[in-house]
Amino acid sequence: PEVKGASIGMMKFIALLSGNKMLKMAVKMFAYFEKVDETGDPAEANQMLGAPETTFDMWFERNSTQ
């Protein structure tokens, strides 16, 4: 799986070479989320707050600095 063009393995390598501690932590988090499925039912939150209108991909596209 890839995250905006960079695989988890590549991100780990870059974090190792750069010594970037924040990237190392982020890579661990992304790797974890790849292994763990989401659980739960959003029905209660959707009822209280309304269904979300923005997906993560939409948000990322608007907020990426590319």
Side-chain angles (χ1 to χ4, degrees):
E2 294 189 358
V3 178
K4 264 311 193 192
S7 69
I8 295 294
M10 180 60 75
M11 289 171 42
K12 283 182 183 179
F13 183 67
I14 292 168
L16 178 67
L17 285 179
S18 68
N20 185 325
K21 291 179 182 180
M22 292 297 286
L23 182 56
K24 286 180 184 179
M25 289 190 304
V27 169
K28 286 181 183 180
M29 182 182 69
F30 284 125
Y32 172 79
F33 286 134
E34 280 190 343
K35 294 177 189 175
V36 178
D37 289 334
E38 284 190 49
T39 60
D41 181 1
E44 184 178 359
N46 289 348
Q47 182 181 8
M48 291 188 324
L49 305 171
E53 297 176 9
T54 304
T55 65
F56 177 76
D57 288 335
M58 291 164 61
W59 177 88
F60 189 83
E61 287 297 321
R62 285 195 300 249
N63 293 284
S64 87
T65 57
Q66 292 185 22

